[in-house]
Amino acid sequence: MKHELKLVSFIGQKGGVGKSSLARLLSVGAARKGHKVLLADFDLDQLTCLEWNATRLRRSVEPEIDVRAFKSLKKLRKTEGNFDLIVADTRGLADELTKDVAEESSVVFLPTGTSADDLRPTLALAQRLAKHGAEGKITIVLSKTGRSERQITGALEKIETQGFPVLAETWGLRDGLQSEFDSGGVGLESSNRYLREIAEQMERAMMARVFNSGRA
Ligand SMILES: Nc1ncnc2c1ncn2[C@@H]1O[C@H](COP(=O)(O)OP(=O)(O)OP(=O)(O)O)[C@@H](O)[C@H]1O
Ligand SMILES: [Mg+2]
């Protein structure tokens, strides 16, 4: 079946919430399953994904991921034919370009912490994006979560009250994961079974959302 551009984006109002880490995890997960993946880095100030990929290449971490920097959707559209999944990592600030990327996406992930400080701007952004035609594509992801089940459950409830879909899996904050990222990994390559499981579960949850969504 021929399909349109399958663009999945990671967007946020706040910096440092896990957009780049989750974009990389989804890209590697999809590439491991044989998909032709492009990881599009729209964060030209930091180039987090591009830098990470340089480390990945230096260390020969498999599979190789095609990571490129983009400053507009126009350029991205020119290459779209070569890929069956394009994952867009955006800046830690929802500017016009970010809104355009969201509009073209079939799924928009909004990673957020569980605190009210994080949830408030995330839900406000979700509402703004929904007004701009992203309704039905938005999925919130609890990211860099601590070990308090109560805080996680509380955050899930707040999000559901506002009517936005949220992944049941959470992206737990772990020192070991940070070390994996620093050496070009995403968590899936970890020799630590526990870390690997955190990454595998999140990857599965994102893949299910991307490939089972009616719009994708
Ligand atoms: N699950 C995790 N466990 C430990 N550290 C994490 C985890 N997820 C992300 N980090 C670390 O947290 C920091 C921010 O993560 P990341 O770069 O993915 O966020 P971001 O939303 O892309 O940030 P920015 O807004 O600056 O682009 C990074 O140092 C990253 O290595
Ligand atoms: Mg980033």
Side-chain angles (χ1 to χ4, degrees):
M1 191 178 77
K2 195 178 179 320
H3 55 72
E4 294 166 25
L5 170 62
K6 183 168 283 214
L7 180 63
V8 173
S9 53
F10 287 80
I11 285 171
Q13 185 62 54
K14 300 197 56 146
V17 290
K19 295 179 294 294
S20 302
S21 310
L22 289 168
R24 297 182 313 210
L25 174 61
L26 175 62
S27 301
V28 171
R32 280 179 162 216
K33 294 198 167 57
H35 293 286
K36 279 197 272 172
V37 183
L38 172 66
L39 176 52
D41 194 338
F42 280 92
D43 186 355
L44 298 182
D45 294 327
Q46 302 196 91
L47 294 171
T48 311
C49 293
L50 227 67
E51 296 285 353
W52 162 84
N53 196 41
T55 307
R56 193 172 171 89
L57 286 168
R58 262 195 311 273
R59 295 186 169 235
S60 308
V61 185
E62 297 283 336
E64 261 187 43
I65 304 294
D66 199 334
V67 187
R68 301 183 202 171
F70 288 91
K71 83 168 181 194
S72 74
L73 274 167
K74 221 197 272 170
K75 284 266 168 62
L76 185 64
R77 287 195 197 99
K78 283 193 185 137
T79 51
E80 73 183 77
N82 305 325
F83 301 98
D84 41 56
L85 178 69
I86 299 176
V87 179
D89 182 27
T90 66
R91 303 169 61 200
L93 158 106
D95 57 6
E96 278 309 308
L97 176 59
T98 301
K99 270 183 224 138
D100 291 347
V101 172
E103 227 163 88
E104 293 239 352
S105 301
S106 49
V107 176
V108 177
F109 285 114
L110 264 64
T112 178
T114 55
S115 70
D117 290 338
D118 284 1
L119 282 175
R120 215 178 296 115
T122 302
L123 289 166
L125 173 62
Q127 256 144 16
R128 278 206 305 285
L129 290 173
K131 271 194 207 133
H132 282 86
E135 199 166 11
K137 311 169 177 183
I138 295 168
T139 299
I140 295 175
V141 188
L142 291 182
S143 176
K144 298 175 71 178
T145 51
R147 298 189 187 258
S148 162
E149 279 302 321
R150 192 178 56 80
Q151 286 178 351
I152 291 171
T153 313
L156 290 173
E157 278 168 8
K158 260 188 216 151
I159 296 164
E160 275 159 6
T161 306
Q162 300 244 350
F164 290 107
V166 54
L167 290 189
E169 298 296 340
T170 66
W171 185 225
L173 180 75
R174 299 289 183 277
D175 295 340
L177 281 176
Q178 195 190 294
S179 308
E180 294 295 325
F181 309 152
D182 287 352
S183 45
V186 292
L188 295 172
E189 313 84 350
S190 179
S191 56
N192 178 321
R193 187 171 60 97
Y194 179 62
L195 294 178
R196 217 166 48 233
E197 268 169 18
I198 295 178
E200 280 167 3
Q201 281 170 7
M202 180 47 74
E203 181 248 327
R204 262 200 300 275
M206 290 192 294
M207 286 287 281
R209 176 66 181 97
V210 169
F211 287 99
N212 300 335
S213 73
R215 287 160 179 262

